[in-house]
Every structure is written in C-alpha cells, then in structure tokens.
Amino acid sequence: MSSQNFDGDRGGGAGQLGPGSVRDVPPPPGEQIPLPEGLDYDKLPEAVREELEGSDPEVIDIRSGAAGSGVNRCPKCGASETKPLSSGELMCMFCRHKWTTERVEEKYGLGEGIDKLVGIVRGAGAADIEDAGDSAHIVTFKCIGCGAEVAINTENSMSARCHWCRHVLSVNEQIANGAVPDAVLPFRISKEDAIRRIRQFAGRRSFFALKAFKKEFTPENVLGVFLPYMIVDANAAAEVQGEGEIETASYTEGEGNNKTTYYDADVYAVERKVKFLVDDLPIEASSQRSNFDRKANTNNIINTILPFDTENAVAWDASYLAGYSSEKRDLNIDGMMPVLEDQLLSIARSEVLHTLREYDRGVRWDREHLDLKGSRWVAMYLPVWLYSYHQKKGRERGLLHYIAVNGRTGETMGSIPIQTWKLLLAALTLGTVLEGAAIWLIAMFGG
Amino acid sequence: MSGEEQDWIYMLLAAGPTGAALFYWYMYRFCRNTDKSHGFERETAIDAEEVECTDYKIGENNRTRQRSIRGENSKSFRDRVQRY
C-alpha cells in the first residue's frame, strides 16, 4: 500500500533531471517556461499562452507551530493527550493546563489588504488536491516515542494512538489530499445545547412529521462534524445593464365587466457599476455538500446555518478534532471559482438595488459583467452538529433529512419528513371549512 | 346582479381551494425548509464604493396592461443573466 510518510526525513534526493522531468522549483513569476523545440510562444493559442505566462498563486503558509513529528504536546508538561473545550481552548488531560492557539485573522492579516488583492492568494491548505488513488488518504507516522509505524486514515480521522506507547499522533502538516486545512474553528456550542435546539426545532414541527421519524427520533445521536469550507476574500467590480420603467400615467377605460386599466411609462436604459470588497465569504469545499439538488438531498439545510464567526478561527491543529469527525475537502479553487463568481454577481445586484427606487415599474437586468481583480482563499474546517434521518421511499434510495446546528452561533435549521396524507387531510379540511363559509356568505348577502 | 358583485362571488368561491393550497404550501415549507439557503448577500461583510449610475431615456411603453416591466428581476439577485 502506498502512503505518504511524515517521519521527519523528507529525503530531498533531487538527482539529475531528465529532459521531460518535473522541475523541483518552479520558475520565478514572469519567467517564460522553456518550450520544446519546434513550438513558438507567439503561435500558441491565447488561453495556453496566458496559462504559461501567468504566475503561480501567492501562498500564505499558515502553521500553528504544531510538531511535524505528529505529536502535539502540552506546552507545560509535554503530555500528548489533549482535549478541546467549548471555550475554544485546548486542555491537557494530565496536568489540566489550558491554552489557545493564535487566531489566524490577526497573525496572518487575513482581514486586511482586501482592496490590494490581485490574482489568487491562497493558504497552503487550499492547494490543489493530488489524485493519487484510494491510498492517498493513508498517512503513516513513525512514533517518536517508540519508533512504531502508526497509520492514520484521513478519510475519517486526523489522529490516532500509538498502540505500543499510547502517544497520540496527529496529522499536523499539509498533505495533498485535502484533509488538512489552513485553519479550524473550534466548537463553542456543547452537545447538550445542540440536542436541546434540535429537540425544540423538531418539536415545533412534530404535528405533521412522519410517524416513523417521531418514533425513531433520538437527538442524542447528533454528531459533531467539521465540514470543509473555503473562506474567501474578494476584490471585485461588477457592471449590470438593463431597462427600467417609470410610470407616467394610468387610466381605466370601458364600463361594467369590460373595464381595463392601461399604463403609460417612460423606458430607460439602466447601467450600474460598483466596486466592492467581500470579507470571509464561506463556500462549500466538498462536492457532495455543494450539490443543492433539493429533490435528491437536503444539503441546503447545512448551507442555511452559515455564516460562522470565521475571524475566530485558529491555525490548524488536529487536537481540536478530538472527539469529532471530519469530512475532507475534495474541490480545488478552479472548481469553486464559478460558485464564487456567481455569488459575487448576486452581491453586486444586491448592492445596486437601492439606486433603482425611482423605477416604480421595476428594472429588468439583461447583461452583467464581473471583474474579479483578486481573491484570497483559506481552507477551513467549520463546526456543525448534525442529526440525520434517512426516509425510505419504496425501492428508491430515499432521502436523507438533516437537522443542523451551527457549532458556534447555535443557529438551527432542519428538514422534517412529512406525513403527506395527514397534511393533505388538514389542507382539505381547511379548504372545505373556508368554502362552506364562502357559500354561507353568498347565500346570506349575495342573493 | 352587477359584474362587480359576480366578481366577488367568484372570489369567495375560490377561497376554499386557494386556502387549502396555501396551507399545504406553507406547512410543507415550514417543515422541509426547501426554500432556505445562506443569505450571503446580506450576511457577509461587504464594503462597496458608491454606485456609478448611467440612465438615459430610450423610449416609451404606452397603453400597456401590465402593472410592471416585463421580466422584472431587480430583486432576484441569484437569477443569472447574460455575462459579457
């Protein structure tokens, strides 16, 4: 089984490069990459030329200072067993010492300089994911306590205990499978609080809830999950063009049943331009979670509990994941760029709305343009309490309903499966009562 | 019976089916929340410069029976139109 080894010796082993070898060090920005003989830069298609001439994204190296050896130690006693607290601190399980990791926002100036962003700036944890097959998620550590080899399956865990000396080993360094983000936002809402919120949310909707859901409802099974997101800052400008109408007159013609109201309006060509900066826009970095097909899943529920107080995120430290599960990022910046552009255009449309008040007959936008000058991408794990219920639908796959609690703010949203016949019956009963009242009114006053 | 009175009768008769449909639609959304999503347009920190406006009259739309412009989408921020 192939795996990535983090035993401290990265082995340089450059050796001699052949003519087609990958260069260890990319050329500095602006330097032309030498082309094979017979190929001329000027004759290449423009898109290929731009790709070759473009500089690599600027990378922010966000590290917590956690040991590359895989053992996170208490700064006071050196023990490797730690526990995250709801206060955002880590606590040593031996000497009870508590400490916090530095907030990345201040340490790396992530909230600043958005107006000066040009091109793509990304954290080391937002690098492209290398597809190296199923074994890419296995990371092997050499335990510094006893020298034993310990494997961690990063698909579902970021730490493991050495089976010989009981040291806790954690994945601290960036690996190219998307499992290690730049930063993590610790849980603040406790499990008991989350259970209370889920119970209250479902309780308010229990009358029309599916009978099986009510019977099997056990919010104690809620799971604390760290979900992968990209937190994006953007420096953008947008333009929108369309037509707007202002009413100049309205008049009614005809009599009796043939009355018709007509409107006169002046038509204007409307154009708006706006430059704006966006701070900490969260975008789903998992292809599964970013699929919002509402007939097939309820991922919109998890999307709704955004945003998080991402300014309180700390540099990646696997110790914060102890006792929780996590999902890996599987989307790269290129794949998420259309989502960012889409959201920036929506923001631009929202920002220009207040300038359209005089168009009392409304505005129809026909064309829009986005100029994304720069963006900064930081990969982050965000904390979510997730309760799920699988609704079976005959031979079909069924539907997975979520009730999600924001692990920081406590905002709760959910999808409760419905007892359809019960809701239909209630609607028909109400309709019958209303219809009966209408008929009574007509009989009393209409005759 | 006058035309206006007949209109009122039709509207009252429509109350039953309309009420039933509205109740079903409201309760379905209340339980399933299929319409909910992150309101990033208002929940994200945005620092926008003053909007640059260019408006000029291009014509008139007279004797129209429509109450608003055809295709009004100024508040449908997430409906995409042609990119240029």
Side-chain angles (χ1 to χ4, degrees), chain A residues 201 204-205 208 239 241 243 245 251 253 257 260-279 281 294 300-301 303-304 306-307 341-343 345-347 349-353 355-356 359 361-369 399 401 413-416 418 420 423 426-427 430-431 434-435 438 442 446, chain B residues 1-10 12-21 23-24 27-84:
Chain A
F201 184 91
R204 288 184 62 202
R205 292 158 178 83
F208 291 114
E239 291 176 28
Q241 296 174 348
E243 285 182 10
E245 287 187 0
Y251 39 92
E253 293 180 357
N257 283 340
T260 308
T261 303
Y262 294 95
Y263 304 91
D264 288 353
D266 286 344
V267 183
Y268 287 81
V270 183
E271 187 177 324
R272 296 287 181 270
K273 293 180 185 175
V274 62
K275 290 180 184 171
F276 57 99
L277 310 175
V278 176
D279 188 12
L281 179 67
R294 288 166 204 214
N300 72 300
I301 296 300
N303 178 261
T304 307
L306 295 171
E341 290 184 358
D342 198 81
Q343 296 199 359
L345 281 167
S346 299
I347 288 170
R349 292 261 292 270
S350 164
E351 289 300 312
V352 304
L353 181 66
T355 67
L356 307 175
Y359 292 100
R361 285 178 50 81
V363 170
R364 180 190 64 248
W365 296 123
D366 297 319
R367 284 152 51 87
E368 57 192 357
H369 172 74
L399 185 64
H401 294 266
M413 184 46 66
S415 168
I416 307 291
I418 291 173
T420 310
L423 180 54
L430 178 75
L434 285 173
E435 197 65 11
I442 292 165
Chain B
M1 195 179 285
S2 75
E4 263 184 38
E5 277 176 346
Q6 260 188 339
D7 286 350
W8 272 107
I9 288 172
Y10 290 141
L12 276 171
L13 286 174
T18 310
F23 178 77
Y24 186 92
M27 289 312 298
Y28 183 88
R29 298 238 291 213
F30 179 65
C31 292
R32 293 288 320 281
N33 289 303
T34 48
D35 57 322
K36 304 290 190 306
S37 67
H38 174 213
F40 54 85
E41 298 95 339
R42 55 180 193 282
E43 292 182 325
T44 310
I46 296 158
D47 182 10
E49 288 182 15
E50 199 172 333
V51 180
E52 206 176 298
C53 307
T54 311
D55 300 8
Y56 51 92
K57 189 175 170 182
I58 54 171
E60 290 176 357
N61 182 13
N62 292 334
R63 287 188 70 76
T64 175
R65 292 167 68 174
Q66 290 190 316
R67 285 173 184 269
S68 61
I69 191 169
R70 190 188 296 269
E72 213 283 341
N73 58 5
S74 63
K75 288 176 187 159
S76 308
F77 308 136
R78 299 188 187 183
D79 289 351
R80 294 276 68 84
V81 294
Q82 188 195 345
R83 292 274 294 270
Y84 70 95

Side-chain angles (χ1 to χ4, degrees), chain A residues 48-279:
Chain A
V48 177
R49 214 167 50 236
E50 279 178 9
E51 184 75 20
L52 289 171
E53 288 172 354
S55 59
D56 285 338
E58 189 184 326
V59 178
I60 317 163
D61 192 6
I62 298 173
R63 289 163 196 251
S64 65
S69 59
V71 180
N72 293 345
R73 294 184 181 281
C74 165
K76 197 172 178 187
C77 72
S80 65
E81 195 147 335
T82 57
K83 179 187 169 188
L85 302 174
S86 57
S87 60
E89 294 171 301
L90 290 172
M91 185 176 76
C92 173
M93 297 301 281
F94 280 89
C95 70
R96 320 299 282 180
H97 174 63
K98 294 176 190 172
W99 72 98
T100 41
T101 314
E102 266 183 293
R103 299 201 313 175
V104 289
E105 179 103 349
E106 284 98 16
K107 189 173 181 188
Y108 297 95
L110 296 182
E112 298 159 8
I114 302 174
D115 56 332
K116 295 180 181 66
L117 283 177
V118 178
I120 293 175
V121 179
R122 63 165 174 81
D128 282 358
I129 295 163
E130 288 173 14
D131 184 12
D134 290 343
S135 61
H137 52 263
I138 305 290
V139 176
T140 310
F141 284 93
K142 190 182 282 290
C143 175
I144 60 159
C146 65
E149 295 266 334
V150 179
I152 298 178
N153 182 352
T154 57
E155 278 286 299
N156 48 35
S157 179
M158 297 303 282
S159 58
R161 190 185 287 278
C162 172
H163 41 280
W164 295 105
C165 70
R166 314 293 293 164
H167 262 119
V168 177
L169 304 167
S170 303
V171 183
N172 291 327
E173 295 197 348
Q174 298 301 342
I175 48 178
N177 69 356
V180 179
D182 293 303
V184 58
L185 189 60
F187 273 89
R188 183 189 280 156
I189 298 290
S190 67
K191 185 174 182 179
E192 291 70 32
D193 194 357
I195 291 171
R196 210 161 34 242
R197 287 166 194 269
I198 290 168
R199 203 180 284 284
Q200 187 184 37
F201 184 91
R204 288 184 62 202
R205 292 158 178 83
S206 63
F207 189 75
F208 291 114
L210 194 70
K211 196 176 174 186
F213 171 80
K214 286 195 274 191
K215 195 178 167 191
E216 295 165 22
F217 184 59
T218 42
E220 292 74 18
N221 291 344
V222 66
L223 268 182
V225 188
F226 281 98
L227 296 179
Y229 286 83
M230 285 283 195
I231 306 302
V232 187
D233 295 337
N235 174 13
E239 291 176 28
V240 273
Q241 296 174 348
E243 285 182 10
E245 287 187 0
I246 298 174
E247 187 178 307
T248 52
S250 70
Y251 39 92
T252 304
E253 293 180 357
E255 286 181 357
N257 283 340
N258 298 320
K259 276 185 186 171
T260 308
T261 303
Y262 294 95
Y263 304 91
D264 288 353
D266 286 344
V267 183
Y268 287 81
V270 183
E271 187 177 324
R272 296 287 181 270
K273 293 180 185 175
V274 62
K275 290 180 184 171
F276 57 99
L277 310 175
V278 176
D279 188 12

